[in-house]
Amino acid sequence: MPLQLRRVTSDAEFNELVQCICESYATPVNRLWRLFRHDPSPAGFIELRDRLIREFRADPAACWLKIVDTDIGDKVVGAALWNTYTENPYPVYKEHPMEAEWWPEGEPRVQEADRLNLETFIEATDLGKLAYEACGFVYAGTNYLESAKRNASPEWRALERDMQ
């Protein structure tokens, strides 16, 4: 399985990229993905693809990378969105300096951050957190979702149920 890292450069690449992303969040089920990013219907797929394309075009800091398997016709088997900011968009956690040895997918982006003398921050799911910690990143905080709402509508309660 020869894998190759490639930079996404055209809108046409997003169909297969989004398919890979959706499959990866389906098993095991990631309820946050479903709630915030993806309606699993065909229309939801198109909406997600088009939204990611719009966001990609609008953000000069964005760099989509994909991993393809050359043995199976360059099928996309992994993807990542990296944003490189020249100013820190997050609070600085100076008490936790980060040094990481990266797998090939992230190495060029980390090298770019090092070249620009920038700190590196990653947002991750619980499963991703373990992978990033194994690579030397330090946990800095958790974002909690508070869903309690007075006089919640049936739709809101259904969303809360989906999050469980």
Side-chain angles (χ1 to χ4, degrees):
M1 175 186 344
L3 302 177
Q4 288 184 353
L5 173 67
R6 296 183 185 165
R7 191 177 196 140
V8 175
T9 58
S10 73
D11 293 356
E13 296 173 84
F14 276 85
N15 271 332
E16 193 174 5
L17 182 112
V18 170
Q19 183 64 40
C20 175
I21 293 169
C22 290
E23 289 173 6
S24 71
Y25 282 113
T27 306
V29 172
N30 183 306
R31 288 175 175 82
L32 281 177
W33 171 254
R34 183 159 184 256
L35 181 64
F36 290 113
R37 297 299 285 188
H38 181 57
D39 160 12
S41 72
F45 179 91
I46 292 168
E47 188 279 328
L48 174 62
R49 180 203 61 205
D50 292 350
R51 181 168 18 111
L52 290 180
I53 290 170
R54 281 192 311 275
E55 291 171 359
F56 179 57
R57 286 182 186 165
D59 186 355
C63 175
W64 271 103
L65 301 172
K66 64 181 180 178
I67 306 292
V68 299
D69 185 335
T70 60
D71 279 350
I72 52 176
D74 288 351
K75 178 178 174 57
V76 176
V77 296
L81 172 63
W82 284 80
N83 296 83
T84 303
Y85 299 99
T86 55
E87 294 180 12
N88 184 357
Y90 303 104
V92 179
Y93 298 101
K94 297 240 183 240
E95 67 275 12
H96 300 295
M98 291 187 231
E99 295 182 21
E101 290 296 321
W102 279 83
W103 56 89
E105 172 262 312
E107 190 173 323
R109 306 309 304 172
V110 172
Q111 288 173 353
E112 182 176 349
D114 288 346
R115 183 181 60 76
L116 296 170
N117 196 29
L118 301 173
E119 295 178 276
T120 305
F121 297 88
I122 295 177
E123 296 175 354
T125 63
D126 289 340
L127 292 173
K129 177 182 174 284
L130 297 174
Y132 291 121
E133 286 176 335
C135 294
F137 274 84
V138 176
Y139 169 78
T142 298
N143 294 323
Y144 291 99
L145 297 175
E146 176 55 54
S147 65
K149 184 176 180 179
R150 231 179 314 188
N151 302 319
S153 68
E155 181 180 26
W156 184 270
R157 285 193 297 275
L159 289 171
E160 284 184 311
R161 235 182 357 266
D162 287 348
M163 291 293 295
Q164 303 306 317

